[in-house]
Amino acid sequence: MPGLNELTQWSVIILLAVILTIISVSDIRHRRIPNWSVLVILGLSIPWILLGPGPSVLSASAAILIAFGVTWPLYAFGLFGAGDSKLLMALSLLVGLQNLLVFFVVVAIAGGAVAVASLAADPTRALVLFQLRGKGGYGKDVPYGVAIAIGAIFVIAWPFVRTALA
């Protein structure tokens, strides 16, 4: 019979996967990340840090401060949406300082893949972007919440799933 810590781990991972799926669908359809979903992730960080295998309180605090320092300028210059910023900061609590760089790198790689897929789905948009040489706001409509969700699943959930399958 699994212990409390193992039940906590799997409960958080399953709920996180469900919430990230909802976020991804919302971001693809409406280009919005619901505030309630970010609040749920913040709530999931409490048992993850205190009862589960999550980072220490100090590590989680440092990670969210760094995430804020990275995403706030991106938001201020219009390169990142407010929902994306809030989502990345909330997930950084679950990731912790020790995995934050890996999380950022995976999110960046996934973001590139999402951008390519987004352009492939709309060839007219790709042509306009090519003609404008990236200028203008026509290319800023990429659902980056999907990339953030992929990064979170890769860094947070995949190690536990891999261990369970081994």
Side-chain angles (χ1 to χ4, degrees):
M1 181 177 224
L4 178 62
N5 285 347
E6 191 175 346
L7 286 174
T8 300
Q9 291 172 12
W10 284 108
S11 298
V12 169
I13 288 171
I14 291 167
L15 287 170
L16 181 64
V18 169
I19 293 298
L20 290 174
T21 301
I22 292 168
I23 287 170
S24 296
V25 169
S26 175
D27 203 21
I28 290 168
R29 287 186 179 171
H30 309 292
R31 299 299 189 262
R32 293 192 49 82
I33 296 172
N35 285 332
W36 67 264
S37 62
V38 175
L39 291 172
V40 169
I41 292 171
L42 288 172
L44 289 174
S45 71
I46 295 168
W48 187 253
I49 292 168
L50 298 179
L51 300 174
S56 67
V57 173
L58 187 60
S59 175
S61 300
I64 197 170
L65 288 174
I66 291 169
F68 176 76
V70 168
T71 62
W72 183 81
L74 294 173
Y75 169 71
F77 289 109
L79 301 172
F80 217 58
D84 299 326
S85 178
K86 290 183 280 189
L87 177 61
L88 197 97
M89 286 190 297
L91 288 167
S92 69
L93 288 172
L94 296 162
V95 170
L97 190 58
Q98 67 275 11
N99 294 320
L100 192 62
L101 181 59
V102 173
F103 178 53
F104 284 168
V105 169
V106 173
V107 167
I109 292 168
V114 169
V116 167
S118 180
L119 289 174
D122 188 358
T124 304
R125 185 168 118 199
L127 181 61
V128 169
L129 280 175
F130 179 74
Q131 290 173 341
L132 292 175
R133 294 185 175 94
K135 296 176 184 163
Y138 201 61
K140 295 183 180 182
D141 205 22
V142 175
Y144 213 74
V146 175
I148 296 169
I150 291 168
I153 291 296
F154 182 82
V155 173
I156 298 166
W158 176 243
F160 293 98
V161 173
R162 187 181 66 221
T163 303
L165 295 176

